[in-house]
Amino acid sequence: SARSLRPYRSLGPLWAMVARSADTQLDHSLLLLAATVVAMALAFVVPPLAVLALPIHGDAVTAGLGGAAWLVMTAVYRPITRWYDLPWVWLPSLPLAALLFVAMTVDSAVQHRRGTGGRWKGRVVSPEA
């Protein structure tokens, strides 16, 4: 019953939308930005890496814990993929989506510090505004 009035057909407009406000949501704080990057990495990147790097580290317990965490995040992601009628093969992609979101957030911080952040309809809103 809901329909998006601004469908994002490619990554560019979606990236711009997130980057426009992510640094503002973090109150332009480098400490909050760093904490966000670390938390996102721990939550979404470390578990799949623990599994995929098993041949390198050889620790089955670490890989098992990483696999369990990845399985939980996949299960939690299932309602979203179902809502958007995405096939099940999208389920393991949540870590990639998290990495993209972190990249957009870091880009937002960079843009705001360069004075080009918060761009909306051709105008730039300063961090002080």
Side-chain angles (χ1 to χ4, degrees), residues 4-68:
S4 175
L5 298 177
R6 294 185 195 133
Y8 296 103
R9 301 195 195 300
S10 67
L11 183 59
L14 180 63
W15 188 293
M17 185 266 302
V18 172
R20 176 173 45 251
S21 62
D23 194 54
T24 302
Q25 291 174 357
L26 294 175
D27 201 26
H28 307 289
S29 166
L30 290 177
L31 182 61
L32 287 176
L33 175 65
T36 298
V37 169
V38 168
M40 293 287 283
L42 288 174
F44 296 104
V45 178
V46 169
L49 283 182
V51 173
L52 298 174
L54 176 62
I56 297 168
H57 62 69
D59 186 348
V61 172
T62 299
L65 290 172

Side-chain angles (χ1 to χ4, degrees), residues 92-127:
S93 72
L94 185 56
L96 177 60
L99 279 175
L100 283 170
F101 185 78
V102 166
M104 294 173 201
T105 302
V106 170
D107 183 47
S108 177
V110 170
Q111 287 183 40
H112 276 92
R113 278 148 189 81
R114 287 183 178 165
T116 60
R119 185 174 304 278
W120 177 250
K121 295 185 178 184
R123 297 180 300 272
V124 173
V125 180
S126 70

